[in-house]
Structures are given as C-alpha cells and as structure tokens.
Amino acid sequence: HCRDTLSLHDALPIFIQQAKKTYLAEMQFDTLNKKINISEKLGSDKGVYFMDSLNLKNLDIQSNSYDFYTRIIAIGKDDLKVIVENYQYSNKKKTLIWKDERYTVLESLREDATAKLEELSKPYKAYGADIIDLANISNKYSILSYGLGDTITLTSKEKGIKEKQRIVKITEYPEEPERNTCEIANTLLRFEDIQKEQQDKIGRAHV
C-alpha cells in the first residue's frame, strides 16, 4: 500500500484553497486515514539531512525559477494600504500589488503581507527525491526521521547542491520504506500560483 501524506501544492477543493490563502495555513492530507490536518506551520528543523552517500538515492530538479518579488503593496478595504519590502535574496525592486478587501485592520494586513513576502522573495527551487527511510529500517538511524514540513539539509555532490529545503510532499510505502519519495522546495508558495491569483484580481506590477 502507498500512503500519500500531502501535497501542499496539489489541486485542492475551492473552499480549502480559499482557507489556505486567507489564513496562510499549511495542510497535511493523510490519504490513508482520509484526514486533513491544518497548522499555522508544519514541521521543524531537527538537523536531518538527505545525502547522496547515505539516504538519498536519486534527485531530480523539478523547478528552478528565478521569478520572485521583493516588495508588496498590500491594499485592504477602503484603500487601507501598507508597503512591505524584503531584499533577502536580491536588491532588485520587483513589486507585487496584492488586494484583499477582507482586511480592515492595518496591522493584520501588514503581518500577512510580511509572511507572504517572506516566501515570495525567494527564487523558487523544487526537487523530487528518492529517499531510503533509514529511521524506519533501523532504530540507530532515528536521528534521520523526517516529517511533512520539516526543514532538511539537502546535499548532493553529484549535482553540486548543499542547501536548506522544506519537505512539501511525502509518499510512503510502509512495507517498503526504501521506496519512499519526497518533494522538496525552498518555499511553499509557488510563484505561478500567486501570479495566477493576482491575474484573477488586479494583475501584476514591476516597479
């Protein structure tokens, strides 16, 4: 049996998509038990690493996009407006206009715009990884146990990669843990998703 324990990026029913956007929530879909777990932020950084000389069997680059934003002009109800900037990866000024009239309190608008930009200011990278789940094979590797949303260190000498990533999808084979796979990304908000959201509203601006 195969157990798919998420995808934060998979197609979701409209009401779940809206809740995710409104509350900036992260969701875990347990297909085996037919459950949805909702959290402000899933996972943690326990120092786990995926390494091609140990537990990383194969690594495929799924996306390597250099599209990102460094500034959000957030607009709420009655022209409530705040500007948030984040230049953690680039000094270029690339602006997103984000309008949501459900916001009536300036501080709430600022907090959510800041959280959104924390994700969108990173050039998007995503990988597919075949993982030997050593923690499920032997107790001596319990330090390498991982879960959905966890931050891990991805190391591949073959591909010249060493970077921090988050696990955004896990597919488990309980009887064959050596077949487990993960999808890994540096941000949970994909650029193309937020781009489509803005096109549906008022479009995108680069200043």
Side-chain angles (χ1 to χ4, degrees):
H1 296 286
C2 170
R3 179 183 183 183
D4 187 343
T5 59
L6 170 61
S7 182
L8 289 166
H9 293 162
D10 283 352
L12 305 176
I14 292 175
F15 73 95
I16 296 179
Q17 287 181 357
Q18 192 58 56
K20 183 177 171 226
K21 290 176 185 177
T22 301
Y23 300 107
L24 299 177
E26 297 182 3
M27 301 181 182
Q28 176 181 4
F29 293 80
D30 186 338
T31 57
L32 184 63
N33 296 305
K34 299 180 180 179
K35 289 169 41 178
I36 301 176
N37 299 316
I38 302 174
S39 175
E40 183 176 346
K41 184 174 182 179
L42 293 167
S44 61
D45 186 348
K46 298 176 287 191
V48 174
Y49 45 89
F50 291 170
M51 185 179 298
D52 53 11
S53 60
L54 182 63
N55 55 353
L56 179 62
K57 292 194 299 181
N58 186 56
L59 183 69
D60 294 319
I61 297 175
Q62 296 182 336
S63 180
N64 194 1
S65 171
Y66 290 93
D67 291 319
F68 58 91
Y69 294 116
T70 56
R71 187 172 72 152
I72 287 182
I73 299 175
I75 303 170
K77 190 174 182 180
D78 298 328
D79 292 326
L80 188 72
K81 184 169 76 172
V82 65
I83 298 175
V84 176
E85 298 179 325
N86 188 326
Y87 297 99
Q88 61 177 324
Y89 285 89
S90 174
N91 291 324
K92 293 181 180 179
K93 187 174 288 187
K94 301 181 72 174
T95 302
L96 167 73
I97 299 175
W98 173 46
K99 185 174 183 179
D100 191 329
E101 293 189 345
R102 289 170 298 186
Y103 287 90
T104 59
V105 178
L106 183 63
E107 194 54 40
S108 296
L109 182 62
R110 186 192 311 277
E111 287 178 3
D112 287 356
T114 300
K116 189 182 290 285
L117 189 59
E118 174 66 24
E119 295 277 275
L120 293 176
S121 59
K122 307 171 187 176
Y124 181 73
K125 292 184 179 180
Y127 303 90
D130 296 334
I131 301 297
I132 303 173
D133 191 353
L134 294 174
N136 274 331
I137 296 174
S138 172
N139 288 333
K140 72 177 184 177
Y141 290 110
S142 59
I143 193 173
L144 295 178
S145 66
Y146 58 85
L148 187 66
D150 280 356
T151 297
I152 58 95
T153 299
L154 180 65
T155 302
S156 174
K157 290 184 179 179
E158 179 184 347
K159 292 183 168 58
I161 294 170
K162 185 175 183 181
E163 56 195 40
K164 290 274 193 177
Q165 297 282 337
R166 285 189 73 192
I167 298 173
V168 299
K169 181 175 181 177
I170 298 173
T171 300
E172 296 175 301
Y173 296 85
E175 298 177 1
E176 301 174 272
E178 69 278 3
R179 293 181 59 196
N180 290 359
T181 62
C182 293
E183 290 182 17
I184 308 165
N186 63 336
T187 172
L188 299 183
L189 286 176
R190 292 191 300 184
F191 184 86
E192 56 267 35
D193 292 339
I194 196 69
Q195 184 181 49
K196 182 180 184 302
E197 178 185 341
Q198 301 318 308
Q199 288 172 344
D200 290 343
K201 292 182 179 179
I202 60 174
R204 181 177 62 171
H206 292 276
V207 179

